[in-house]
Amino acid sequence: MNGLFFHDTPPSRWGREPGARRPATREAAAADGRGWLFELWDAEGDAIRTEARALGLRLEFGGHHLSALVPRERFAEQPEWFPLRRGRRDGRFNLCTSSAGARAELRANAARFFARFAGADVYHLWADDLRGGGWCECGGCVRLSPSDQALRAANAAAEVLGGMAPGARLAHLAYHDTLARPGKVRPLENVDALWAPRARCYAHAIDDPGCQRNREHLQELERLIAWFGGPERVRVFEYYSDSILFKWMAPPHLEVVPADLRAYGRLGVRGVQDLAVTPRPWWGPTWHAWWFARCAREGGGNPETALSAFCGAAFGDAAEAFAAAFRELETACRLLLERGELEPRRGYDVLDYGDTPREGLRALAGRARDALNHFGAAARALPLGVGGEALAQTEEFAPTVAAGMHLAERVLAWDAALHGDREGSASHLALARLHLRALTDWYHAHASPAFGNLGEGMLDAARRRMDEIAALAGLTAG
Ligand SMILES: [Zn+2]
Ligand SMILES: [Zn+2]
């Protein structure tokens, strides 16, 4: 590891009272809904900077902060600062980068941001976290793609950064509707691209020729590298340790991580990062983070050798039992991560599978059935009566197994409901609710209240989804 990125998500709030305290309960954290990294940085930033310098770590700071730099409260008096959408100014997201006033406001507030978080090597002031629909259609913007508009905003902030911190870099985020390379706007000298392929397939390596989704993603990366003038100007932002994307699970990614890192290396990309946003704590030795770090350092790796080494070091006598459990989890997770042509439901996340094409959902239901067997086998492989790291790892497997089985049963319940199989849907829903209860209990026992700003909403969404399926099947929600 040679860098540390303080990813402020959900974004902290500007202008809290000095000494404001983080909410003390899960419910209050959920109602606040925002991050508290600003306050943490105020308290500990100096020490972190000093330590990072001593260890030679590159420091990065930021997140989806762009729209906070053009305050929404200004909409009533300055509507032209905000995107034109379907003929009307819309103050919800991003900004109109053709508006000189909006750019001036962005520059002034970017300067405040850089001053508050002085000393970082890379800054991230990303656009709003949307799959699409947040950019401007005014006369000055309409010919610019979302990627061009986002890069124009990044350039405006980078101009300010160049004056305040020569040598620091600003990231242009290639993500969702800005994943494609820009086509008109060129990056300033201190702007690098950060390629975040969130919608890629994690059942297969990024260069797997049999995975169309990943083939398309890799082509986008190659185009982005060309636009930025070389791989040293592009970094990859991977999701291996992201428990939002993976719906509380921590897939081992035994095969995908080393294969990906070899593929990125072949393109000349030297910077690959591992995002770890999560509604829950990591409990026990974090295989996925260790595996990523090892593969990053060595440019790939052999999963079996590494798994033996990791389990031997962490679990002693129980090493082989844990290695077997990891292998079963790997199989189970990959079955659920394989989406084929299925797109997410409109407005939802990657693993909120849609039902188009219909045969795609049927095939997924078949894989979900297999996945249930492998999650069960993973749980059965675990040794009983262990302590120390082995006990912690058993506790760490629990949310992955519960969340994975919940997701699989939910898919089966939905598929049954769509086929008019009321009874089948009812029995899968009952099991889906049981597994979600197990996950909720684990979360209550292990997660501090701070996780409430992500965890509560994710649990609510899972319950709502089950109610929708129950309604579709003609069952009473419960
Ligand atoms: Zn515009
Ligand atoms: Zn795939």
Side-chain angles (χ1 to χ4, degrees), residues 308-435:
S308 298
F310 180 88
C311 292
F315 312 123
D317 290 349
E320 193 31 56
F322 279 98
F326 271 112
R327 284 185 212 107
E328 293 290 354
L329 272 195
E330 165 84 353
T331 307
C333 290
R334 280 178 89 162
L335 286 162
L336 292 182
L337 292 174
E338 158 109 54
R339 290 172 287 145
E341 294 168 77
L342 278 182
E343 288 304 321
R345 298 170 68 223
R346 219 180 137 74
Y348 287 84
D349 206 351
V350 172
L351 294 187
D352 293 308
Y353 315 99
D355 61 353
T356 314
R358 186 64 192 82
E359 319 78 71
L361 184 64
R362 183 89 292 200
L364 176 66
R367 291 194 294 276
R369 228 178 268 284
D370 286 348
L372 285 168
N373 291 329
H374 289 283
F375 280 121
R380 285 191 300 275
L382 295 171
L384 298 172
V386 290
E389 297 285 35
L391 178 61
Q393 186 63 52
T394 304
E395 297 261 323
E396 167 56 32
F397 278 154
T400 294
V401 170
M405 291 180 99
H406 162 75
L407 199 56
E409 293 288 1
R410 215 166 82 185
V411 166
L412 287 162
W414 189 26
D415 184 61
L418 287 172
H419 277 81
D421 175 7
R422 195 162 168 275
E423 246 171 65
S425 186
S427 71
H428 287 301
L429 267 183
L431 289 166
R433 288 189 200 286
L434 187 75
H435 295 305

Side-chain angles (χ1 to χ4, degrees), residues 237-260:
F237 194 59
E238 267 296 355
Y239 289 81
Y240 307 125
S241 297
D242 189 281
S243 186
I244 294 194
L245 172 53
F246 298 122
K247 298 271 186 227
W248 305 84
M249 295 188 287
H253 302 301
L254 295 178
E255 306 280 343
V256 164
V257 170
D260 280 2

Side-chain angles (χ1 to χ4, degrees), residues 112-311:
R112 280 173 67 209
F113 189 95
F114 302 138
R116 184 164 180 179
F117 306 106
D121 303 289
V122 186
Y123 290 92
H124 299 265
L125 298 173
W126 309 334
D128 283 309
D129 192 354
L130 304 172
R131 273 161 73 190
W135 288 104
C136 186
E137 300 163 347
C138 81
C141 296
V142 72
R143 280 183 308 278
L144 296 177
S145 68
S147 304
D148 282 307
Q149 294 186 43
L151 182 53
R152 186 146 80 154
N155 279 344
E159 242 173 57
V160 178
L161 183 64
M164 292 175 71
R169 317 289 302 169
L170 193 96
H172 158 77
L173 181 65
Y175 170 74
H176 288 335
D177 64 343
T178 63
L179 191 73
R181 69 150 171 78
K184 294 203 164 68
V185 177
R186 293 285 173 182
L188 290 190
E189 178 283 322
N190 60 342
V191 175
D192 296 329
L194 185 65
W195 186 73
R198 200 171 194 283
R200 62 164 285 190
C201 166
Y202 284 95
H204 302 116
I206 194 72
D207 65 345
D208 188 323
C211 180
Q212 193 190 339
R213 199 182 285 277
N214 286 356
R215 224 167 38 232
E216 290 166 5
H217 272 84
L218 203 59
Q219 284 165 3
E220 294 288 8
L221 176 59
E222 285 166 346
R223 290 187 201 113
L224 189 68
I225 289 172
W227 191 257
F228 273 74
E232 61 287 346
R233 295 282 301 273
V234 177
R235 283 184 295 143
V236 170
F237 194 59
E238 267 296 355
Y239 289 81
Y240 307 125
S241 297
D242 189 281
S243 186
I244 294 194
L245 172 53
F246 298 122
K247 298 271 186 227
W248 305 84
M249 295 188 287
H253 302 301
L254 295 178
E255 306 280 343
V256 164
V257 170
D260 280 2
L261 289 169
R262 280 190 287 269
Y264 293 140
R266 275 196 295 276
L267 292 179
V269 172
R270 306 309 311 157
V272 185
Q273 302 183 314
D274 182 26
L275 179 66
V277 180
T278 174
R280 61 152 176 119
W282 306 119
W283 209 264
T286 43
W287 158 265
H288 44 92
W290 180 86
W291 183 219
F292 166 75
R294 160 155 293 210
C295 291
R297 199 184 61 210
E298 295 175 1
N302 180 314
E304 270 309 312
T305 319
L307 194 59
S308 298
F310 180 88
C311 292

